[in-house]
Structures are given as C-alpha cells and as structure tokens.
Amino acid sequence: MRVVIKIELNKRQEQILQIVKENGPITGENIADRLNLTRATLRPDLAILTMAGFLDARPRVGYFYSGRSGTQLLTDSLNHIFVKDYQSIPVVVNESISVYDAIVMMFLEDVGTLFVVDKQSVLVGVLSRKDLLRASIGKQELSSIPVNVIMTRMPNITMCTKEDLMIDVAKKLIDKQIDSLPVVKETEKGYEVIGRITKTNITKAFVALADEKF
Ligand code: ADP
C-alpha cells in the first residue's frame, strides 16, 4: 500500500513555487516584485511553503526549491517517529501463574496481550486473548494450568527497541499478523520488557502525522 498525503496549495503559493523553481535562490522582496505584491502580503504563503518543506530559506541568500515531493516529505516525517515517543506501559506476568489468573489480569489491566517473564524478569513468552480463549475450550481446570504451557515462547517472539521507527514496528505487526510487540532492552540475562507497542499506539502516531504533531 502506498500512502500519499496531498498538500493543497493555493494559486498564489503555486506561483511562488514556480518562481523559486526557476529563479532560486531568490529573496522574498524579489518574489513580491514579480507578483506585484508587497513582502508583507507574501509572508504567510512563504511561511507555509517553508514549513511544509517545499522551500528552504537561508538568511541573506533567499528562498530555494527543496526539490522534495509530498511523498518524500511524508517519508521524511515517518523517519522521525520513534517507538520511545509512543510506547505504553507493558503488562507483565510471571510464567508460573495460572491461565485463570492471566485471564483475570487481562481484564483488570484492560490489555489484549500479556508478556510473560521468568523469576529474573527476563521475557520468556507472550499471551494473547485467543491463546487464553483456546486454553479455555474444553474441560481443563484453568487454575491448575500454568501459562508457560500455552504461551508463544522465545525465541519466536517478535520484539522491538525504543530506538526503532514506528513504521518498522507497524510493518512487523502486519507481517506477523499480531496485535502487539514488547519493547525490550537487552541485558546479560536476556531481554527485559520496558514497554509495549500495540495497534492503538500505531493509530495514535498515524493521527499525529496528519496533525503534524510529531
Ligand atoms: P489474538 O490471538 O488475540 O488475535 P494476536 O494476533 O496478537 O492476538 O496473537 C496471535 C498469536 O501470535 C498468539 O498465539 C500470540 O501468542 C502470538 N503473538 C502475539 N504477539 C506476539 C509477538 N510479539 N511475538 C510472537 N508471537 C506473538
């Protein structure tokens, strides 16, 4: 899928862009002269074109065309949205707790995925809603089955770090058909869970992108 954000420019902004493309670097004064307008009238348009990344401005040199298209600008933005800016607090359970207690925990904490750790707080597994539902079908005694029997276990866990880009995490969620990833930090014992990224965090980043709040 290709995402293209279209920035609608007004007629005057298109004219400015054309002038700068053909004559840049060019001063604001000079652009205003060519359009028979004052520098003050032009100021908001120049600000918009510069902020949107179509034009670059250098003091004492003037404006020049950045050569970046709308799609390239979007890619630039995506390359600045990191896991550390959007991660949530992880909900972690010990591998020895029962399936029953994990179900209770999932409701109490209002999450869709639990991360399972050993006594040393090292990540050993992941539990999704469906993992718990699957274990509940049948006649097993849920209070006596430990979660480490039913969880998805290491080394099959897809993880990310806080320095990863959100776009790369989004691709992993789609590739692996999962709802969430643990954010981990590597220690000498293994991986420690320091956060989580879910589809909700991805959605928030997506909305911020539209609002240019990243
Ligand atoms: P659900 O099964 O509730 O729809 P998911 O799609 O996230 O939730 O999980 C699908 C399967 O993938 C489950 O068996 C779950 O244990 C496993 N899983 C979930 N997250 C991860 C992950 N980050 N790495 C590896 N496996 C995962």
Side-chain angles (χ1 to χ4, degrees):
M1 189 183 65
R2 214 167 138 237
V3 182
V4 180
I5 285 187
K6 219 169 149 216
I7 301 168
E8 294 282 350
L9 298 182
N10 67 29
K11 193 158 169 277
R12 189 191 286 160
Q13 290 160 352
E14 293 281 6
Q15 285 176 321
I16 296 171
L17 211 53
Q18 200 53 39
I19 291 172
V20 180
K21 257 190 211 175
E22 285 164 11
N23 307 285
I26 178 168
T27 63
E29 210 66 60
N30 242 312
I31 302 170
D33 285 349
R34 283 168 191 261
L35 291 171
N36 281 326
L37 295 166
T38 66
R39 175 81 179 80
T41 316
L42 226 53
R43 197 161 287 136
D45 290 320
L46 286 170
I48 287 166
L49 289 170
T50 312
M51 277 191 305
F54 288 102
L55 298 183
D56 281 327
R58 280 207 203 119
R60 285 180 297 277
V61 178
Y63 294 90
F64 56 95
Y65 183 59
S66 71
R68 290 195 287 269
S69 67
T71 316
Q72 282 169 311
L73 290 168
L74 177 63
T75 309
D76 288 352
S77 305
L78 287 174
N79 286 333
H80 289 93
I81 305 181
F82 294 97
V83 165
K84 61 172 175 284
D85 303 320
Y86 286 93
Q87 69 185 39
S88 303
I89 295 165
V91 179
V92 169
V93 295
N94 191 276
E95 62 179 333
S96 62
I97 77 158
S98 68
V99 170
Y100 183 90
D101 287 343
I103 294 172
V104 173
M105 183 77 154
M106 196 173 263
F107 273 99
L108 287 178
E109 297 288 341
D110 194 17
V111 288
T113 310
L114 298 173
F115 300 118
V116 185
V117 296
D118 64 13
K119 276 193 224 100
Q120 295 188 297
S121 297
V122 168
L123 176 66
V124 290
V126 174
L127 281 172
S128 75
R129 280 179 281 227
K130 253 178 261 156
D131 292 333
L132 295 171
L133 278 176
R134 198 181 302 115
S136 311
I137 302 172
K139 292 202 179 68
Q140 299 102 318
E141 181 49 62
L142 297 183
S143 335
S144 57
I145 313 169
V147 287
N148 63 11
V149 177
I150 65 151
M151 67 190 187
T152 300
R153 57 186 61 247
M154 276 296 228
N156 300 322
I157 299 180
T158 308
M159 307 173 285
C160 66
T161 71
K162 65 181 167 62
E163 279 79 30
D164 286 344
L165 289 172
M166 286 294 272
I167 183 69
D168 292 333
V169 173
K171 285 178 190 163
K172 279 186 186 176
L173 291 180
I174 291 170
D175 280 356
K176 307 279 179 184
Q177 299 188 4
I178 49 180
D179 293 345
S180 111
L181 291 189
V183 183
V184 297
K185 191 172 89 181
E186 197 166 4
T187 68
E188 56 296 351
K189 290 179 278 173
Y191 292 102
E192 187 192 325
V193 185
I194 57 168
R196 75 188 156 99
I197 291 286
T198 66
K199 288 179 177 171
T200 306
N201 303 108
I202 306 278
T203 310
K204 282 184 181 158
F206 184 71
V207 170
L209 189 65
D211 294 345
E212 294 193 22
K213 273 196 212 129
F214 47 86

